[in-house]
């Protein structure tokens, strides 16, 4: 057995996002989409995990679980319910949230946009609208000015390419756009939005630490390794993982990488891209996503060499209601992360997804990603056994393998 020790000061924690846990986010595009029957089983986010009221309890749990950091998001549609009118109550609420995280000893990663947009922006096309980046920059300026003292790290946009792909190319997410051109336009607008927010935060607080969080995946070929697969693999990896970052690297103090699973090149070539499938020695999560820890190593190593910037793993986790695979998942992914660090990657923290169970977008409340289980009938929290395993890792700053 060997002990894998992480660098001194390495941050350990878990994340959530506003719409997925707060409840009552009635003024954004996802809420509208849910009420049009967009979600599995006709679910709606409704009261979600009631984090709007229970954030203190949740941060306290994180503290008890040995965490030193957390990733939360600010809901734009609460701060700016109507264009240009900023809601003092909402700003005050988020000041309490971030203050509570601090009180619990957690460094904050504050996300300004995690998939949801205000209804007023949706009414004019959301990220298809050329004015959206400017609007986003203005919102970022207000948040940075009012809440900046409480944020340790800023993430402008969460997984812009996932939003562009699902919302604008594939038509599965709001605003149900369809086509490569629509996707490209949204992605370019999200780049501009990132830059506008980066500049706005820096103007308000020149010493702020600002980055973006991208979804990173690894593409694998089949045993046959056909010519088409071999040609497509690097192109897909570049488009999915690095295309956005290549264009915004100069306005990033750090990069957040979010890794879940691998994608087979074959599934893309056959027009059905997705995480999975599993295989003989590749188990899957409750969502059928292949558990493939070496993919995290690939992504971190590549990002480290390509950008030479500080990295954080800002999401990594799995849906596992029975909690039978989470401990091994964490152990195996952290072992791969440690390998990348040994090879020279400047990784400074790991945030598991997620702190509590939450509303999993199209899939609704079924998938259970939380270290802490939520009983949605009572909103009670129950710490899962794997969270205790992770607690030992956090407290020892490392793990046995
Ligand atoms: C998102 C989260 C989501 C998780 C699991 C990430 O892409 O940022 O909001 O819950 O994946 O699907």
């Amino acid at each position: 057995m060997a002990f894998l020790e992480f660098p001194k000061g390495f941050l350990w924690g878990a994340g959530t996002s506003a719409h997925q846990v707060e409840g009552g986010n009635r003024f954004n595009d996802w809420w509208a989409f849910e009420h049009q029957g967009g979600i599995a089983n006709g679910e709606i986010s409704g009261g979600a995990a009631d984090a709007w009221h229970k954030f203190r309890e949740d941060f306290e749990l994180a503290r008890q679980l040995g965490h030193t950091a957390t990733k939360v998001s600010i809901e734009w549609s609460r701060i700016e319910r109507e264009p240009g009118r900023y809601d003092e109550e909402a700003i005050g609420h988020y000041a309490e949230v971030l203050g509570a995280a601090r009180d619990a000893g957690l460094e904050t990663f504050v996300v300004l946009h995690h998939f949801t947009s205000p209804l007023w922006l949706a009414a004019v096309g959301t990220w298809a609208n050329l004015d959206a980046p400017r609007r986003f920059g203005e919102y970022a300026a207000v948040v940075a000015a009012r809440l900046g003292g409480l944020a340790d790290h800023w993430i402008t946009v969460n997984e812009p390419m996932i939003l562009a792909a699902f919302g604008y190319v594939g038509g599965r997410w709001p605003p149900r756009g369809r086509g490569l051109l629509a996707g490209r336009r949204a992605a370019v607008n999200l780049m501009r939005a990132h830059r506008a927010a980066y500049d706005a935060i820096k103007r308000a607080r020149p010493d702020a630490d600002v980055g973006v969080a991208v979804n990173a995946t690894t593409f694998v070929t089949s045993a046959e390794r056909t010519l088409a697969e071999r040609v497509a693999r690097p192109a897909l990896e570049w488009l999915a993982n690095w295309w956005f970052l290549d264009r915004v690297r100069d306005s990033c103090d750090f990069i957040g990488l979010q890794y879940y699973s691998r994608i087979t090149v074959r599934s893309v070539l056959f027009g059905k891209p997705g995480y999975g499938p599993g295989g003989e020695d590749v188990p899957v999560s409750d969502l059928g996503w292949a558990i493939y820890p070496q993919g995290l190593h690939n992504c971190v190593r590549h990002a480290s060499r390509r950008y030479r910037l500080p990295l954080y793993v800002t999401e990594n986790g799995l849906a596992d209601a029975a909690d039978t695979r989470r401990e091994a998942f964490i152990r195996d992914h952290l072992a791969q992360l440690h390998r990348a660090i040994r090879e020279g990657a400047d990784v400074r923290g790991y945030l598991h997804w997620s702190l509590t169970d939450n509303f999993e977008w199209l899939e609704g409340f079924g998938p259970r990603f939380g270290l802490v289980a939520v009983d949605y009938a009572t909103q009670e929290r129950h710490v899962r056994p794997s969270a205790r395993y992770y607690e030992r890792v956090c407290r020892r700053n490392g793990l046995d393998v």
Side-chain angles (χ1 to χ4, degrees), residues 16-17 20 71 114-115 158-159 162 166 173 213-215 258-260 275 287 289 314-319 353-354 358-361 363 367 369:
T16 57
S17 89
Q20 292 179 273
K71 174 178 182 249
H114 193 123
F115 298 154
N158 184 78
E159 297 189 352
I162 292 289
F166 289 175
W173 285 12
V214 300
N215 180 274
Q258 316 203 140
Y259 174 80
Y260 284 89
Y275 290 148
L287 283 169
W289 298 359
T314 43
E315 284 187 23
N316 172 236
L318 82 169
W353 183 267
S354 51
N358 56 69
F359 179 75
E360 174 56 20
W361 309 113
E363 282 79 21
F369 277 88

